[in-house]
Amino acid sequence: MKQFFPSMSLLFSLATLLPAQTMPLEPPHLSGNSVTGAFEGWFKNPDGTYNLLFGYYNRNQRQEVDVPIGPNNRIEPGGPDQGQPTHLLPGRNWGVFAVKVPADFGTKKLIWTLVANGQTTTVPGYLHTDYELAPFSEASVGNTPPAVGVDENGTRVQGPLSVTLGERTVKVDTPLRLDLWAEDDAKWVSNSGARPKVMPSPVVLHVKKYRGPGEITFGKEKPVIESVVRKDAKASAFNGKASTTAIFSEPGEYILHVDATDYSGEGGSGFQCCWTNAQMKVIVTK
């Protein structure tokens, strides 16, 4: 069953935040507010295992919150580290990562606890039938998520599983060039159904910091994606390429997150399809 998320999200937030009657409804602030995990739902893998899909809501308009893995950012049981972000961007961030659970997970729950700005929130993830998702296909028009890669002829990922596509090495304060490739079926999906006179790009790419010890300065967080012709590419309605740069302020290990949305937009216009998560590891040296 497909889930219409906005109303479920509101009810879920009201049920899980403390104090529930005030925090979700208080006016947004530039900084100092809480960050809450969001359980988007679950979907089954071909081998019988399941993925629990999580996003989050940072209630700060400008504050980017860093919460290292540990007591203040943990998913249990089995954690604290189960692939969740440590760098939390303002606003609602949909379906950022998935946690794989076994076929016999049954009625168990995973609990994501976040402590940000002195405020603790928790959210459970579990296999309830009302939260079953279909993130790889939108049934009404057969829309599917974009496919994304970091090399022209390299591996492509599709869907919300946050697959790591590669590793790069760069020195502190030296621009790292990031080339991103995307393909999509370019099927129009909109709540209104009306197509604009001037069609936007079928794919929008957003490059973000996911983990890492220092600051990252991107040339463009949403680089323009240009249509390209690829004779050797899999047949797609749209093939595109975008480029940006990243400069790292401190040495260490970083994870970059790339999300690719199609015409259905962020959050899939209320349904959990169709977007893609990809990651890249970057080792920064002095």
Side-chain angles (χ1 to χ4, degrees), residues 1 65-66 70 78 128 149-150 160 171 190-191 212 216 233 237 239 266:
M1 181 177 74
V65 179
D66 285 278
H128 192 287
V150 295
K171 291 184 177 180
S190 170
N191 284 335
I216 305 176
N239 289 279
E266 294 185 8

Side-chain angles (χ1 to χ4, degrees), residues 38-78:
F39 176 55
E40 318 286 22
W42 60 270
F43 53 97
K44 194 171 184 177
N45 297 312
D47 64 0
T49 60
Y50 300 91
N51 291 297
L52 304 182
L53 185 63
F54 291 89
Y56 63 88
Y57 180 28
N58 178 350
R59 288 182 175 76
N60 301 287
Q61 292 179 320
R62 294 187 182 176
Q63 184 186 10
E64 299 182 6
V65 179
D66 285 278
V67 187
I69 298 297
N72 292 340
N73 184 357
R74 65 187 191 271
I75 297 179
E76 301 289 359

